Amino acid sequence: MTEYDDYGVPVGAYQEPDSFTGQTYRTARAFLIYSVRPFVEKRVTQGRWKRLFSLANALVAIWWVVVYWGERGAFNGAVGSCNWDAWENWEEGASPHRLVFVADPQLVDPHTYPGRPWPLNPLTMKYTDQYMRRAYSRIQTELYPDTVFFLGDLFDGGREWSTRTTKSPEKQYQQYGDSYWMNEYRRFGSIFLDHWGDGGLQPRPGQPGRKFVSSLPGNHDLGFAKGVQIGVRDRFHAYFGDGNRIDVLGNHTFVSIDSVSLSALGVPSSQELEEVWRPTVDFLSGAKQQKRKLIQRELRVQRGLRPYPGFPHYEIESQDFPKATLPHADDEVTEFPTILLTHVPLYRAPGTPCGPLREHWPPSPPPAGQPSPLEHDERNAISVSGGYQYQNVLNKEISADIASKIGDIRYAFSGDDHDYCELVHRGYASGGGGIREVTVKSISWAMGVRHPGFVMVSLWNPVDAHGKPVKGDMGRTVQTHLCLLPDQLGVFFRYAGLFALTLVLLSGRAALVAGNALPQQPLTSEDPILPMANIPSGAEAEKSALAQQRFGADDYTHSSNSSTSSNANGNLQVRNAQARTRTASPANGYGLPMPMPHQQNTTYSHPLVQHAGYYGDEDSKKDVKTYGSVSTKSKARKKGFALFRQELKSSLGKVMICGLGWYFWLIWHG
């Protein structure tokens, strides 16, 4: 028996409404069940969403990832892996001076590959410049060194381009004049100078500032020994600075020497070339005294004093001008560790090994029973030889003279060889323990090494007011690290391999489509919504024609249309306008125009529902074939090899257009 409350409402018929949280949950659940899920199921299994999950689209995505890695990720990863903190090993609280050596950019020009036809040479120039620009920009943004030193061979054909007073010794290059060299100078600037500030311009904490030094010349910049022309050298010095200089950085003294000009001292007719070698010889003669003066200035600045003492005011007679000198502090100081910079490596005995980091020729395996590494390894060594406008190492006498006149050399850094080499010279005067020389790899991928690179140097030498080390040993103030750059040829090979894989996969898919194992591309917006009538062929057409002659076209059409709604192939049939039995229809047949007398034989290429309000034109009727009251455009369906070619062309074109578009965008934007 039903119970009622005081208000006459059955007990239990009323419930308190859900809370706000409960109502929100129910609403969201209903929205997901009745709106979101049907939408997702429909879109994923049909239409545009289904087209996204295709082999061509998957390959486009793979191309985008691989191309981005080759043009961006490889450089970011290579330079980023050389982070200073990953290999520096100083005591806690140290503030080292961080320096990068860049060797042999050797900008590709007509001198590099004289027989290479157009457009290979311009493309090589473009891609080598792009490679160095990316690498150098990452050096600035990822590593942010305090100083960058270039070790010569900035250009490849710099020595060949004529000046106003000189001509190239080779006739094929005499057409290139001073204006061409200026274009090369601007090109160098666009790669390196313009990207010096990519990571910023402010000095790091504890450092006085940032420095860019590119004055050291190489044999491709000036020539070698007797091949050096004064006009060419003067032009280089005017734009890059003197090749002989001394810099004090991080409490170390860097001495740069123009070794390609100094090498003219070792040729038989050296007296005739005095104008070539004399500036470097004079520089070496005063190197020790100049080093001391610069150290005194640096220590005064560190103590907060002026670099120079006050200038006395007195009159100097004109005849005393040549011997007059600027006043200088005469403080007692301890010499900083000296680092030699030369483009051409120092002399070493033939077969002296370069160590395990040499890429092109790694160390030879020792014979059974012999210690490793070998003391003599021609394969792993720099060849002690020379040729036209080059020499792989300096003369033995010149090397010894450099070491004795500079004095206290602990490290030497050189270029020219393009590959890495590290050894200790124990036969020259040094600061103790011999001179450890590092030959730096070329930064260009066109110089015969698959993995270009640069050398990072960390300097830490805390001193007192007189330059004496306050911690540690002066022989342990330098740490070096070789940083390798991406293999550009390897990147191109990966692109080629991916293209081959793309071609194989798309060819296989096209073959399956041609063999009816896979469907063709899904319908597009241009395809008809409803299936179209097909033209009967063969016996069916002949049978239909006889039926029309026997029963009349109108009766046959009416009976055939009323008896069935589709033919044997499942295609819809369209009734003739005259066979309609219903005449009472709104607006002349549901929006369809009533046929005029002269239009009784009008034909249509698609079912009438697609032609509502459309009368067509004469041109559209030219390609129309009719059968009875049913008509259709003749559209041959491709089969076999034609279908295979069509599918491969469309899918491969899509992948290549999307992939190349992304590639060229990355190229254009650096």
Side-chain angles (χ1 to χ4, degrees):
M1 182 175 179
T2 304
E3 297 182 5
Y4 297 89
D5 59 15
D6 296 338
Y7 298 96
V9 179
V11 176
Y14 175 78
Q15 295 181 359
E16 289 292 334
D18 289 344
S19 63
F20 177 77
T21 304
Q23 295 181 30
T24 303
Y25 168 76
R26 292 178 180 275
T27 303
R29 184 172 180 272
F31 177 76
L32 290 174
I33 293 176
Y34 299 107
S35 297
V36 176
R37 187 170 67 181
F39 175 83
V40 172
E41 290 176 351
K42 182 178 180 180
R43 292 300 185 269
V44 171
T45 58
Q46 301 178 15
R48 298 179 180 177
W49 290 97
K50 186 175 181 180
R51 297 175 197 167
L52 291 177
F53 300 94
S54 65
L55 178 60
N57 289 345
L59 288 172
V60 167
I62 293 174
W63 269 100
W64 284 349
V65 172
V66 172
V67 169
Y68 183 83
W69 173 86
E71 304 303 317
R72 293 289 189 275
F75 288 89
N76 296 337
V79 178
S81 65
C82 298
N83 189 278
W84 302 93
D85 296 333
W87 57 271
E88 281 181 327
N89 187 24
W90 302 116
E91 63 183 62
E92 186 177 355
S95 179
H97 187 90
R98 292 169 172 172
L99 182 148
V100 165
F101 283 114
V102 177
D104 300 88
Q106 252 176 270
L107 303 187
V108 174
D109 53 33
H111 172 268
T112 310
Y113 305 106
R116 182 169 292 187
W118 187 93
L120 293 181
N121 215 33
L123 286 175
T124 305
M125 295 169 62
K126 168 67 178 177
Y127 277 95
T128 53
D129 289 3
Q130 187 84 299
Y131 183 96
M132 290 187 289
R133 184 181 294 108
R134 287 175 177 172
Y136 184 75
S137 178
R138 280 12 172 234
I139 291 173
Q140 299 302 323
T141 56
E142 299 289 334
L143 304 179
Y144 199 65
D146 302 310
T147 302
V148 174
F149 269 106
F150 285 77
L151 296 176
D153 274 357
L154 311 183
F155 309 114
D156 189 59
R159 67 192 180 204
E160 307 294 346
W161 317 141
S162 303
T163 68
R164 293 184 177 87
T165 59
T166 63
K167 288 289 185 181
S168 173
E170 299 190 40
K171 294 183 178 180
Q172 58 179 328
Y173 302 124
Q174 291 180 355
Q175 58 178 315
Y176 300 96
D178 195 57
S179 59
Y180 191 90
W181 188 92
M182 290 301 303
N183 289 331
E184 294 296 280
Y185 174 75
R186 284 188 285 268
R187 184 177 156 205
F188 177 88
S190 68
I191 298 173
F192 299 107
L193 296 175
D194 290 354
H195 294 276
W196 166 248
D198 283 0
L201 295 174
Q202 297 300 319
R204 291 189 309 109
Q207 303 301 323
R210 305 190 69 210
K211 181 173 287 190
F212 179 101
V213 183
S214 58
S215 59
L216 190 69
N219 59 300
H220 282 266
D221 299 317
L222 307 185
F224 187 82
K226 64 180 181 180
V228 176
Q229 300 185 77
I230 301 302
V232 172
R233 187 175 67 183
D234 290 344
R235 178 179 60 190
F236 185 89
H237 289 172
Y239 286 90
F240 290 102
D242 196 341
N244 301 305
R245 59 180 291 158
I246 299 177
D247 298 274
V248 176
L249 301 168
N251 292 341
H252 290 74
T253 305
F254 290 80
V255 181
S256 304
I257 61 168
D258 179 3
S259 55
V260 294
S261 297
L262 180 62
S263 296
L265 189 62
V267 301
S269 57
S270 59
Q271 294 302 320
E272 300 176 1
L273 301 171
E274 183 176 0
E275 191 177 5
V276 175
W277 53 259
R278 175 57 66 183
T280 306
V281 169
D282 292 342
F283 169 79
L284 288 174
S285 299
K288 290 182 179 179
Q289 183 180 7
Q290 182 68 9
K291 283 198 307 178
R292 183 180 180 83
K293 289 182 178 180
L294 292 176
I295 293 171
Q296 290 172 338
R297 295 179 194 173
E298 176 67 19
L299 292 174
R300 288 177 63 88
V301 171
Q302 291 182 10
R303 294 184 345 227
L305 304 176
R306 293 183 300 178
Y308 299 94
F311 286 88
H313 296 274
Y314 60 90
E315 182 178 358
I316 300 178
E317 300 296 335
S318 58
Q319 64 271 15
D320 296 331
F321 276 165
K323 298 181 180 181
T325 59
L326 293 174
H328 199 279
D330 194 20
D331 303 333
E332 185 63 30
V333 296
T334 301
E335 192 167 325
F336 290 160
T338 300
I339 299 175
L340 171 67
L341 306 183
T342 169
H343 175 69
V344 183
L346 296 174
Y347 177 82
R348 74 285 312 276
T352 304
C354 286
L357 296 180
R358 190 166 178 81
E359 174 187 337
H360 193 61
W361 296 112
S364 301
Q370 291 192 15
S372 178
L374 298 176
E375 294 183 0
H376 183 90
D377 190 353
E378 290 284 354
R379 179 173 179 265
N380 184 240
I382 294 179
S383 174
V384 182
S385 59
Y388 174 73
Q389 295 279 43
Y390 80 92
Q391 191 169 295
N392 293 331
V393 297
L394 295 173
N395 293 346
K396 186 176 182 178
E397 296 77 11
I398 292 179
S399 299
D401 192 49
I402 291 173
S404 62
K405 288 185 176 179
I406 294 177
D408 195 33
I409 300 176
R410 297 179 181 269
Y411 275 82
F413 292 89
S414 56
D416 186 66
D417 187 67
H418 299 169
D419 204 349
Y420 188 84
C421 182
E422 184 173 354
L423 72 159
V424 177
H425 298 279
R426 302 192 185 279
Y428 303 127
S430 65
I435 302 175
R436 179 173 294 276
E437 181 178 3
V438 175
T439 300
V440 181
K441 269 194 167 189
S442 172
I443 196 175
S444 172
W445 66 274
M447 294 297 115
V449 288
R450 291 286 296 272
H451 285 277
F454 56 92
V455 168
M456 305 165 63
V457 180
S458 182
L459 309 171
W460 174 239
N461 181 32
V463 297
D464 60 16
H466 299 285
K468 185 177 180 180
V470 296
K471 293 181 181 180
D473 181 6
M474 288 186 65
R476 299 182 179 179
T477 61
V478 177
Q479 294 179 10
T480 65
H481 179 75
L482 170 62
C483 187
L484 297 177
L485 294 171
D487 176 9
Q488 184 64 55
L489 287 177
V491 172
F492 289 153
F493 291 153
R494 286 184 179 90
Y495 291 164
L498 181 57
F499 176 78
L501 178 63
T502 300
L503 189 61
V504 170
L505 292 177
L506 293 181
S507 298
R509 181 194 176 279
L512 292 176
V513 171
N516 294 325
L518 286 177
Q520 298 186 46
Q521 295 289 349
L523 296 177
T524 65
S525 59
E526 298 179 357
D527 295 319
I529 299 176
L530 297 179
M532 297 167 55
N534 290 333
I535 302 174
S537 60
E540 293 183 3
E542 183 177 357
K543 182 178 179 181
S544 299
L546 293 175
Q548 291 189 52
Q549 293 177 5
R550 181 177 180 181
F551 299 106
D554 294 341
D555 294 339
Y556 171 77
T557 304
H558 174 72
S559 63
S560 63
N561 286 337
S562 61
S563 62
T564 181
S565 60
S566 63
N567 59 13
N569 294 326
N571 296 313
L572 298 180
Q573 301 295 324
V574 182
R575 297 181 61 191
N576 189 289
Q578 296 178 355
R580 296 181 182 270
T581 58
R582 299 175 63 182
T583 57
S585 59
N588 296 327
Y590 298 98
L592 293 176
M594 293 297 295
M596 300 300 291
H598 65 281
Q599 294 176 327
Q600 295 299 324
N601 295 325
T602 300
T603 57
Y604 297 92
S605 60
H606 298 287
L608 294 179
V609 69
Q610 297 192 18
H611 289 274
Y614 174 70
Y615 294 92
D617 51 34
E618 294 300 326
D619 293 337
S620 66
K621 301 173 185 177
K622 294 179 180 179
D623 297 331
V624 176
K625 294 183 179 181
T626 62
Y627 173 71
S629 62
V630 181
S631 62
T632 181
K633 284 187 177 180
S634 59
K635 185 176 181 180
R637 182 182 179 86
K638 294 183 178 180
K639 298 180 180 180
F641 181 75
L643 180 58
F644 169 84
R645 184 174 59 183
Q646 174 183 307
E647 287 292 324
L648 179 60
K649 180 179 179 181
S650 60
S651 57
L652 184 62
K654 177 181 180 180
V655 174
M656 289 296 97
I657 289 175
C658 295
L660 290 176
W662 177 233
Y663 173 76
F664 286 118
W665 189 91
L666 293 174
I667 289 290
W668 182 262
H669 290 81

